[in-house]
């Protein structure tokens, strides 16, 4: 795993918001991953949870849902203030997510120009913020992201472990007789 920045006290509270979103994913039998996008003032601009099962959408990852919602919020704020902000540039925002972003989500983070990502648990199979890839800090790209990893890591990892252990089918030799 790649070295990360030390995290701040605010990150702990923000991860609590992402964990709340992750728990809501359990209602639709989605993998419990949650995300929030915070504006420069620390206010929530967007939130999301995995909704792949709920919507049959392979791109409905928590980060993508939260980024989309944050972009709409920024565009609406700019228009209300008489401006014409594009909404898609999430500059000076922070994305907080319970699991290390995958390659798709890392790409969306870079394209949205999000400067900071805070995540909880590492994803050693598909992580793209230092585990398998490091898209967020890839110097050949036009935007780089500060990464704060391991925030409330055990709590985030435990939620995922519990979900997957309850969804695993035991091998035939360990199943009770029918």
């Amino acid at each position: 795993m790649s070295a990360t920045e030390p995290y701040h006290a605010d990150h702990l509270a923000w991860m609590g918001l992402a964990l709340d979103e992750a728990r809501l994913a359990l209602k639709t039998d989605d993998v419990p991953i949650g995300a929030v996008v915070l504006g420069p003032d620390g206010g929530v601009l967007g939130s999301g949870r995995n909704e792949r099962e709920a919507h049959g959408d392979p791109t409905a990852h928590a980060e993508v849902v939260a980024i989309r919602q944050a972009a709409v919020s920024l565009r609406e704020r700019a228009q209300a203030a008489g401006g014409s902000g594009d909404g898609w540039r999430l500059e000076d925002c922070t994305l907080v997510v319970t699991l290390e972003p995958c390659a798709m989500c890392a790409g969306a983070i870079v394209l949205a120009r999000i400067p900071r990502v805070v995540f909880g648990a590492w994803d050693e199979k598909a992580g793209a913020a230092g585990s398998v890839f490091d898209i967020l800090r890839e110097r050949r790209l036009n935007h780089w992201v500060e990464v704060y990893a391991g925030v409330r890591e055990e709590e985030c990892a435990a939620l995922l472990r519990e979900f997957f252990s309850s969804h695993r089918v035991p091998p035939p030799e360990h199943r009770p007789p029918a």
Side-chain angles (χ1 to χ4, degrees):
M1 317 272 172
S2 180
T4 60
E5 302 289 331
Y7 54 84
H8 306 289
D10 285 343
H11 296 167
L12 297 171
W14 293 342
M15 187 59 73
L17 299 173
L19 280 161
D20 290 344
E21 283 294 322
R23 290 182 192 100
L24 290 173
L26 295 169
K27 292 180 180 181
T28 55
D29 208 29
D30 276 287
V31 177
I33 300 170
V36 292
V37 175
L38 300 125
D41 63 354
V44 175
L45 292 173
S47 59
R49 58 189 166 274
N50 271 4
E51 296 180 347
R52 294 184 313 169
E53 299 297 328
H55 299 295
D57 179 355
T59 68
H61 288 206
E63 299 96 328
V64 172
V65 173
I67 288 169
R68 287 176 180 157
Q69 195 177 99
V72 169
S73 294
L74 282 178
R75 191 169 37 257
E76 288 173 352
R77 285 183 184 186
Q79 290 170 350
S84 61
D86 56 35
W88 68 264
R89 287 182 182 89
L90 302 183
E91 298 164 331
D92 209 22
C93 291
T94 302
L95 174 86
V96 180
V97 61
T98 57
L99 182 67
E100 178 183 5
C102 69
M104 177 185 71
C105 293
I109 291 162
V110 169
L111 293 173
R113 308 294 194 271
I114 296 172
R116 281 170 303 285
V117 169
V118 176
F119 72 84
W122 290 94
D123 184 351
E124 295 180 15
K125 293 181 180 176
S131 288
V132 179
F133 306 105
D134 199 351
I135 293 170
L136 297 182
R137 292 174 284 203
E138 173 55 59
R139 291 293 170 198
R140 292 172 290 184
L141 297 175
N142 65 338
H143 177 73
W144 308 289
V145 179
E146 289 177 87
V147 176
Y148 301 86
V151 177
R152 294 175 71 170
E153 180 175 6
E154 185 49 40
E155 192 174 353
C156 294
L159 187 59
L160 290 163
R161 275 193 307 272
E162 290 167 18
F163 174 81
F164 286 114
S165 69
S166 71
H167 284 73
R168 287 196 181 98
V169 177
E173 65 271 10
H174 296 293
R175 289 186 204 149

